Amino acid sequence: MAPAAASGGSSLPSGFAVFATFPDLLFIFEFVFGGLVWILIASALVAIPLVQGWVMFVSVFCFVATTALMVLYIMGAHGGETSWITLDAAYHCTASLFYLSASVLEALATISMYEGFTYKQYHENISAVVFSYVVTLLYVVHAVFSLIRWKSS
């Protein structure tokens, strides 16, 4: 394992060291909770279809991109190049902003559906909002530590 990557050094891990270094360990949680958001939004009834479309786009895009990055890191495709550190930081900052906007819009849509929807539909949307904010927090933490790694590279 690369101790430099675990302590915020300037290198990206390769192989299964991705699952043992911080912030790259967060890929697993982003993958799991991002998938939950995707499932919840796909099954939830949202009063504003445009909001549901944006939240679905964000959750699917980030799920696929996170999976691709994680697989590429495991395969060692970055080869130790510093441009991948920049890509990692840029992606996680973008994903953080996307998820924050999606979370706020989903919360707004959920608040607007308090009246006129069933208890189950309302609580399904509340679950989607909660998990969306959890994923937002994960991406923000990953972005902060990726920026620290980028600055030290």
Side-chain angles (χ1 to χ4, degrees):
M1 287 182 247
S7 63
S10 62
S11 65
L12 291 171
S14 292
F16 290 105
V18 170
F19 302 122
T21 57
F22 192 82
D24 304 300
L25 175 66
L26 294 175
F27 274 128
I28 298 167
F29 300 106
E30 293 163 0
F31 178 81
V32 171
F33 289 113
L36 283 173
V37 170
W38 181 5
I39 292 167
L40 285 168
I41 293 300
S43 68
L45 180 63
V46 179
I48 308 165
L50 188 60
V51 169
Q52 187 172 17
W54 174 248
V55 179
M56 275 299 291
F57 168 76
V58 168
S59 62
V60 171
F61 170 77
C62 290
F63 184 83
V64 170
T66 296
T67 304
L69 269 179
M70 185 171 55
V71 168
L72 287 170
Y73 287 176
I74 291 170
M75 291 181 357
H78 53 78
E81 294 181 30
T82 56
S83 60
W84 281 81
I85 295 172
T86 305
L87 172 73
D88 184 62
Y91 167 69
H92 283 95
C93 288
T94 303
S96 298
L97 290 173
F98 275 16
Y99 251 109
L100 180 61
S101 69
S103 299
V104 169
L105 287 172
E106 180 65 20
L108 180 65
T110 301
I111 290 168
S112 73
M113 66 183 287
Y114 180 73
E115 301 270 335
F117 289 87
T118 66
Y119 181 79
K120 181 182 180 280
Q121 292 167 333
Y122 183 64
H123 282 267
E124 216 171 44
N125 280 292
I126 289 174
S127 298
V129 170
V130 169
F131 282 113
S132 184
Y133 276 110
V134 167
V135 176
T136 302
L137 179 64
L138 288 169
Y139 276 112
V140 166
V141 169
H142 201 151
V144 167
F145 283 95
S146 291
L147 287 170
I148 291 169
R149 177 169 43 202
W150 172 71
K151 185 161 170 80
S152 68
S153 67

